[in-house]
Amino acid sequence: MTERVFLVIGAGAGIGGHAAARFSRGGYHAVLARRSDDAGLARLVHAIEEDGGKATGTLLDAAADGSIEELVDRVERDIGPIHTVLYNLGAQIGNRTLGDTPHRTFELGWRLGCFGLFRLAHAVTPLMVARGSGTILVTSATAAVRGNAGQHSHAAAMGGRRMLCQTLNAEFAPQGVHIAHVVVDGSVDAPDTLGKLLGERFEAYKAAKGEDGVIDPGALAETYWHLAHQPRNCWTHEVDVRPFTDAPWWNDNPIPAIDTKSK
Amino acid sequence: MTERVFLVIGAGAGIGGHAAARFSRGGYHAVLARRSDDAGLARLVHAIEEDGGKATGTLLDAAADGSIEELVDRVERDIGPIHTVLYNLGAQIGNRTLGDTPHRTFELGWRLGCFGLFRLAHAVTPLMVARGSGTILVTSATAAVRGNAGQHSHAAAMGGRRMLCQTLNAEFAPQGVHIAHVVVDGSVDAPDTLGKLLGERFEAYKAAKGEDGVIDPGALAETYWHLAHQPRNCWTHEVDVRPFTDAPWWNDNPIPAIDTKSK
Amino acid sequence: MTERVFLVIGAGAGIGGHAAARFSRGGYHAVLARRSDDAGLARLVHAIEEDGGKATGTLLDAAADGSIEELVDRVERDIGPIHTVLYNLGAQIGNRTLGDTPHRTFELGWRLGCFGLFRLAHAVTPLMVARGSGTILVTSATAAVRGNAGQHSHAAAMGGRRMLCQTLNAEFAPQGVHIAHVVVDGSVDAPDTLGKLLGERFEAYKAAKGEDGVIDPGALAETYWHLAHQPRNCWTHEVDVRPFTDAPWWNDNPIPAIDTKSK
Amino acid sequence: MTERVFLVIGAGAGIGGHAAARFSRGGYHAVLARRSDDAGLARLVHAIEEDGGKATGTLLDAAADGSIEELVDRVERDIGPIHTVLYNLGAQIGNRTLGDTPHRTFELGWRLGCFGLFRLAHAVTPLMVARGSGTILVTSATAAVRGNAGQHSHAAAMGGRRMLCQTLNAEFAPQGVHIAHVVVDGSVDAPDTLGKLLGERFEAYKAAKGEDGVIDPGALAETYWHLAHQPRNCWTHEVDVRPFTDAPWWNDNPIPAIDTKSK
């Protein structure tokens, strides 16, 4: 018997893992794919099963030719139809000057941040269109809507991704496939990404942000769940999230005492 | 004993009424305010009560000095603390050329579309800040993000409203007050607004849009509920919604056969 | 004999005065309107005449009923057809909390920032449409595209103004009237506005910004001239300007050392 | 003796060629690079020389490793310092469904639309920073700001390009390098691109657009010239252009008779 599948590409202990847990609690078979750390992956799968849910873990080199395509085929054949897929990969590398951003880094940013989503859409949209339904959730970042200094690779990849989400939506929404682009405009309590970027400073960083100063990926997973279950007469394409203490990307922070810029 | 209140300003049979019903089902005392039609208001209140919920209806001339302020005072004193308020007023008057848009029409558009929200915020934010929590939901429209021909009054009012939501968010989010600006980018099955605008053509219009071709205000109410209950570490400020068959405002519809514009 | 007129509403010693000087050098009769300071106005007119140009100064209470309308009539009757009008008024009042922003302040911000442009458009577009040509330049601010803390009045007015520019453009561009919305995203060396806001700190402020750290209104006037003379096959509707040292409004400034927000 | 160089990458008979002609008239040595058509290139160079200007033509496979880099080196060594470079390449392929957009097409779109600009910036910014000045103009398209149906490849490339322009601006503007992103939101009278896309329908297409219904690349070249010569206290980063008869991308065209969408 086949089951309704929630597939997450980029399943670390942060957003991806929590989304998998949320959808499994809602009755989905969660399939978690990530690049490395077999043990970490097994822990996520085990925790879902302990909680009474169903989950399958798999390692995936998303940048490799055919890898995403093979995964989609395998899941559909062995587990069940993909109802919702969450593309949760990025290639944030911290701030780098242009001179310190080699060609291959820029290209890898695009391969993971933009081309991978294109390949995923190629693989899943024919299945979803044939079924007349399906949801593609895309975790995105502030870099998708503005390019900060030092973000050449990340912003170019995310900006392309955002436009790609719009072209996918324009073609596939009328065919019943929901595409949602989620602008995560704040730090996430994600040990496998931000945690690794900050290293031993991670706990101090979170403490400095104060209570509720960092996005709880479990809270974000509720928004993903909500998006994936909006009836098709009322679909969201773009939504932003951030902690209440964070200034949105469009605001100055801090506010200048005198507004000389006529802001 | 006081109760947790959901207040909606602009409570017709569409978005406002359905939001009231949704929040009352979730345990709120719904307070419904609208300009006219005592009987229609009574029907909404009665339906909520039939469903086991609590509701109070009141007529309100939102453009009149002191009216919104008096309502907020009365609700807080007589019913309970306003947990969430939905500002659901607009002054869409259909497409009019500039020559056919008198000064007083433009000013009324601003009074209802922008100034009323400013007055509401003046009245409720001190209460919410004192409690360290509260939510202001704002129903908005495509006109808040782009100005179409014939929309001088509506777009100027909504564009001001959107910026006002951002300034309110910048000041009050860090104090625990959640502001959410909802871009409703599609037709809503709202008998009291779109229904009246279209008159006897309303049913034919909906039929032509096809199944799920018009936003069900009950579906939108679920998104309002979700927004109002996001934990403060993961707040949304702006979100869009539309039926799956509607092209988003940024897309051409229909798509030209040859893309001469390098779109 | 009638002459081609450049009319500027909001003609101080900054943007307005420099634009008037630039257009008069280009052969226009410049008409300068401002609220007060007869002596300052006379100095601007005199300087243009010294330079060999033609100019007329007039005091104008733009918020008063009929004032803008009367000015347009008078100029067209007594001087010549208005080829280009620059709406250069705003009501920047510095940063104020909501509690410190009275209703009347918010309303005045709208009257000067948004309603005045609507009234101007009502008055000049019939004339321009009849001639099949004309240009409306609108000086705008960062507050038109994002709402910062403390900017309730200014941002709501400017956000409405930006959408109004779009609705005007949608209706009148096809009739030959060019509308351009100029986002001034930086401090201007304007003694009558920023200078008065900063008082005796103005010179120190400019010195701290460094060489070319503040917009020279004469430089901006060249961009206005360029916009007003684009052939109608290649019109700009929106353009931004800022000093090279200023971070655009969408960027963080300064850039954080570690990009925890996945920006 | 070295000369001030204007380099254009993507020099057909439309925007690129006209920009080269405009800058050569202004005293620059124009260097025109294009992928193919030696004869067409020679005609452009010859026309500039006939007009009394200086120009050099070169064929360039911009997608090939090292090609842009070699060109920049060669120009700086043999001709003179690059004052302004115009990146004028794209990979518009018309509207294609996702299924009809092969992986290699999507990748080529990115190589020409985004990666090429990154490579160009790598090559020229060290030279410009060392000189404390320089301008990078980027011809862009509506696809950079919204993704239409059928535009998967083009929109993803242009969206990445727009964000890249912002990251380049954030890093290099304070070092004296002006980056300008020009959103060409209308058809251009460009025989080598739109002309080839439309083939024998090109003349009929232009006729149907009416007088001044298509952007004259010579007019756009004036805007490029203006941007490249703004003093650094007043730089534009983004500007749009379109014919007066074209609805901007954000507007509905045509306007619906009844505004059911609350636009």
Side-chain angles (χ1 to χ4, degrees):
Chain A
M1 197 206 81
T2 62
E3 305 173 283
R4 195 163 64 156
V5 168
F6 171 75
L7 168 63
V8 52
I9 296 181
I15 295 174
H18 281 81
R22 177 63 187 87
F23 278 74
S24 70
R25 280 200 304 279
Y28 288 75
H29 187 125
V31 179
L32 298 87
R34 61 190 287 174
R35 188 165 57 89
S36 60
D37 187 5
D38 233 333
L41 180 60
R43 276 194 300 276
L44 292 175
V45 169
H46 185 68
I48 288 173
E49 291 171 342
E50 284 284 293
D51 201 35
K54 289 184 178 174
T56 302
T58 185
L59 294 184
L60 173 81
D61 178 4
D65 279 352
S67 61
I68 293 174
E69 296 78 359
E70 187 277 333
L71 173 64
V72 167
D73 284 351
R74 179 155 44 95
V75 168
E76 289 264 333
R77 186 185 64 229
D78 296 349
I79 305 180
I82 299 168
H83 174 279
T84 297
V85 57
L86 169 58
Y87 193 77
N88 194 48
L89 287 182
Q92 177 56 278
I93 51 171
N95 286 328
R96 307 254 187 121
T97 61
L98 183 66
D100 196 29
T101 307
H103 286 33
R104 67 174 184 287
T105 298
F106 190 81
E107 178 161 349
L108 182 62
W110 170 77
R111 287 206 176 278
L112 292 174
C114 186
F115 189 50
L117 175 60
F118 172 82
R119 288 168 49 212
L120 173 65
H122 248 287
V124 300
T125 52
L127 303 163
M128 291 178 169
V129 167
R131 293 192 282 260
S133 68
T135 301
I136 301 175
L137 301 174
V138 180
T139 303
S140 192
T142 318
V145 286
R146 72 94 184 274
N148 245 359
Q151 294 287 304
H152 305 291
S153 167
H154 191 52
M158 290 290 148
R161 180 152 146 169
R162 182 170 179 251
M163 285 301 104
L164 177 60
C165 285
Q166 293 190 3
T167 60
L168 292 173
N169 179 70
E171 180 171 339
F172 294 109
Q175 302 184 66
V177 182
H178 186 183
I179 320 278
H181 180 256
V182 182
V183 178
V184 180
D185 184 38
S187 307
V188 179
D189 190 354
D192 288 333
T193 49
L194 183 58
K196 285 183 180 157
L197 197 63
L198 289 175
E200 56 190 19
R201 290 168 298 173
F202 189 39
E203 290 308 317
Y205 171 80
K206 289 194 288 183
K209 298 287 280 183
E211 190 185 342
D212 287 320
V214 176
I215 295 174
D216 169 7
L220 182 50
E222 292 296 332
T223 291
Y224 284 158
W225 175 266
H226 176 72
L227 292 171
H229 297 91
Q230 290 177 313
R232 66 182 183 169
N233 68 70
C234 190
W235 275 355
T236 290
H237 178 67
E238 190 162 87
V239 60
D240 58 15
V241 292
R242 67 188 60 78
F244 77 116
T245 38
D246 262 28
W249 64 266
W250 58 79
N251 283 136
D252 278 346
N253 191 7
I255 296 295
I258 290 205
D259 204 334
T260 51
K261 225 178 160 181
S262 304
K263 291 164 189 176
Chain B
M1 197 206 81
T2 62
E3 303 172 284
R4 194 164 63 157
V5 169
F6 172 75
L7 169 63
V8 52
I9 296 182
I15 295 174
H18 281 81
R22 177 64 186 86
F23 277 74
S24 71
R25 280 201 303 279
Y28 288 76
H29 187 125
V31 180
L32 297 87
R34 61 190 287 172
R35 188 165 55 89
S36 60
D37 187 6
D38 233 333
L41 181 60
R43 276 195 300 276
L44 293 175
V45 169
H46 186 68
I48 289 173
E49 292 172 340
E50 284 284 292
D51 200 36
K54 289 185 177 173
T56 302
T58 185
L59 293 184
L60 173 81
D61 178 4
D65 279 354
S67 61
I68 293 174
E69 296 78 358
E70 187 277 333
L71 172 65
V72 166
D73 284 351
R74 180 156 42 96
V75 167
E76 290 264 334
R77 187 186 63 230
D78 297 348
I79 305 181
I82 299 168
H83 175 278
T84 297
V85 57
L86 169 59
Y87 193 77
N88 195 47
L89 287 182
Q92 176 58 277
I93 50 170
N95 286 328
R96 307 253 186 121
T97 61
L98 183 67
D100 196 30
T101 308
H103 286 34
R104 67 175 185 285
T105 299
F106 190 81
E107 178 160 350
L108 182 62
W110 171 77
R111 288 208 176 276
L112 292 174
C114 186
F115 189 51
L117 174 61
F118 172 81
R119 289 168 48 212
L120 172 66
H122 248 286
V124 300
T125 53
L127 304 163
M128 291 177 169
V129 166
R131 292 192 282 262
S133 68
T135 301
I136 301 176
L137 301 174
V138 180
T139 302
S140 192
T142 319
V145 286
R146 72 96 182 273
N148 245 359
Q151 294 287 303
H152 305 291
S153 168
H154 191 54
M158 290 290 148
R161 180 151 145 170
R162 181 169 180 251
M163 286 302 103
L164 178 59
C165 285
Q166 293 189 2
T167 61
L168 292 173
N169 179 70
E171 180 170 339
F172 294 108
Q175 301 184 68
V177 182
H178 186 184
I179 321 278
H181 180 256
V182 181
V183 179
V184 180
D185 183 38
S187 306
V188 179
D189 190 355
D192 287 332
T193 48
L194 182 58
K196 286 185 180 157
L197 196 63
L198 289 176
E200 56 189 20
R201 290 168 298 173
F202 189 38
E203 291 308 316
Y205 172 78
K206 288 194 289 182
K209 297 287 279 183
E211 190 186 343
D212 287 321
V214 175
I215 295 174
D216 168 9
L220 182 50
E222 291 296 332
T223 292
Y224 284 158
W225 175 266
H226 176 73
L227 292 171
H229 296 91
Q230 290 178 313
R232 66 181 184 170
N233 69 69
C234 190
W235 275 355
T236 290
H237 178 67
E238 190 163 86
V239 61
D240 58 16
V241 292
R242 66 188 61 80
F244 77 116
T245 38
D246 263 28
W249 64 266
W250 58 79
N251 283 136
D252 279 345
N253 190 7
I255 296 296
I258 291 206
D259 203 334
T260 51
K261 224 178 160 181
S262 304
K263 290 166 188 176
Chain C
M1 196 205 83
T2 62
E3 305 173 283
R4 195 163 64 156
V5 169
F6 172 75
L7 168 64
V8 52
I9 296 181
I15 295 175
H18 281 81
R22 177 64 186 86
F23 278 74
S24 71
R25 278 202 303 278
Y28 289 77
H29 187 126
V31 180
L32 298 85
R34 59 190 288 173
R35 188 164 57 88
S36 59
D37 188 5
D38 233 334
L41 180 59
R43 274 194 301 275
L44 292 175
V45 169
H46 185 68
I48 288 172
E49 292 171 342
E50 284 285 293
D51 201 34
K54 290 186 177 172
T56 302
T58 184
L59 293 184
L60 172 81
D61 178 4
D65 280 352
S67 61
I68 292 174
E69 296 78 359
E70 187 275 334
L71 172 63
V72 167
D73 285 351
R74 179 157 42 97
V75 168
E76 289 264 335
R77 187 186 61 230
D78 296 348
I79 305 181
I82 300 168
H83 175 278
T84 296
V85 58
L86 168 59
Y87 193 77
N88 194 46
L89 287 182
Q92 177 58 278
I93 51 171
N95 286 328
R96 307 253 187 121
T97 62
L98 183 66
D100 197 28
T101 309
H103 286 33
R104 69 177 182 285
T105 299
F106 190 81
E107 178 161 350
L108 183 61
W110 171 77
R111 286 204 178 278
L112 292 174
C114 187
F115 189 51
L117 175 60
F118 171 81
R119 288 168 48 212
L120 172 65
H122 248 286
V124 299
T125 53
L127 303 163
M128 290 177 169
V129 166
R131 294 192 280 261
S133 68
T135 301
I136 302 175
L137 301 174
V138 180
T139 301
S140 192
T142 319
V145 286
R146 71 95 184 274
N148 244 0
Q151 293 287 304
H152 305 292
S153 168
H154 191 53
M158 290 290 148
R161 178 151 145 169
R162 182 170 180 251
M163 286 301 103
L164 177 59
C165 286
Q166 293 190 4
T167 61
L168 292 173
N169 179 70
E171 181 171 337
F172 295 108
Q175 301 184 67
V177 182
H178 186 183
I179 321 279
H181 179 257
V182 182
V183 179
V184 180
D185 183 39
S187 307
V188 178
D189 189 354
D192 288 333
T193 49
L194 182 59
K196 286 185 180 156
L197 196 64
L198 290 174
E200 57 190 19
R201 289 168 299 173
F202 189 39
E203 291 308 318
Y205 171 79
K206 289 194 288 182
K209 297 289 278 185
E211 190 186 342
D212 286 320
V214 176
I215 295 174
D216 168 8
L220 182 49
E222 292 296 332
T223 292
Y224 285 159
W225 174 267
H226 176 72
L227 292 171
H229 296 91
Q230 290 178 312
R232 65 182 185 170
N233 70 69
C234 190
W235 275 355
T236 290
H237 178 68
E238 191 163 87
V239 60
D240 58 15
V241 292
R242 66 188 62 77
F244 78 115
T245 38
D246 262 29
W249 64 265
W250 58 79
N251 283 135
D252 278 346
N253 189 7
I255 296 296
I258 290 206
D259 203 335
T260 52
K261 225 177 160 181
S262 304
K263 289 166 193 177
Chain D
M1 196 207 83
T2 63
E3 305 174 284
R4 196 164 63 156
V5 169
F6 172 74
L7 168 64
V8 51
I9 296 182
I15 296 175
H18 282 80
R22 176 65 186 87
F23 278 73
S24 71
R25 279 201 302 278
Y28 288 76
H29 187 126
V31 180
L32 298 86
R34 60 191 287 175
R35 189 165 56 87
S36 59
D37 186 6
D38 233 333
L41 180 60
R43 276 194 301 274
L44 293 174
V45 169
H46 185 68
I48 289 173
E49 291 172 342
E50 285 285 293
D51 201 35
K54 290 185 178 174
T56 303
T58 184
L59 293 184
L60 173 81
D61 178 5
D65 279 354
S67 60
I68 292 174
E69 296 78 359
E70 187 276 335
L71 172 64
V72 167
D73 284 353
R74 181 156 41 96
V75 167
E76 290 264 333
R77 187 187 61 231
D78 296 348
I79 306 181
I82 299 169
H83 175 279
T84 296
V85 57
L86 168 60
Y87 193 78
N88 194 47
L89 287 182
Q92 177 57 279
I93 50 171
N95 285 329
R96 308 252 187 122
T97 62
L98 184 66
D100 195 30
T101 308
H103 286 34
R104 68 176 183 285
T105 299
F106 190 82
E107 178 161 350
L108 182 61
W110 171 77
R111 285 205 179 278
L112 291 175
C114 187
F115 189 51
L117 175 61
F118 172 81
R119 288 168 49 212
L120 173 66
H122 248 286
V124 300
T125 53
L127 303 164
M128 291 178 169
V129 167
R131 293 192 281 260
S133 68
T135 301
I136 302 175
L137 301 174
V138 180
T139 302
S140 193
T142 319
V145 286
R146 71 95 183 274
N148 245 0
Q151 294 287 304
H152 304 292
S153 168
H154 191 53
M158 291 290 148
R161 180 150 143 171
R162 181 169 180 252
M163 285 301 104
L164 177 60
C165 286
Q166 293 190 2
T167 61
L168 292 173
N169 179 70
E171 180 170 338
F172 294 107
Q175 301 184 68
V177 182
H178 186 184
I179 321 279
H181 180 256
V182 182
V183 178
V184 180
D185 184 38
S187 307
V188 179
D189 189 354
D192 288 333
T193 49
L194 182 59
K196 286 186 179 155
L197 197 63
L198 289 176
E200 57 190 20
R201 290 168 298 173
F202 189 38
E203 291 308 318
Y205 171 79
K206 288 194 288 182
K209 298 288 278 184
E211 190 185 343
D212 287 321
V214 176
I215 295 173
D216 168 7
L220 182 49
E222 291 297 331
T223 292
Y224 284 158
W225 175 266
H226 176 72
L227 293 171
H229 296 91
Q230 290 178 312
R232 65 182 186 169
N233 68 70
C234 190
W235 276 355
T236 289
H237 178 67
E238 191 163 86
V239 61
D240 58 16
V241 292
R242 66 188 62 78
F244 76 115
T245 38
D246 263 28
W249 64 265
W250 57 79
N251 283 137
D252 278 346
N253 190 6
I255 296 296
I258 290 207
D259 203 335
T260 52
K261 225 178 159 180
S262 304
K263 288 165 191 178

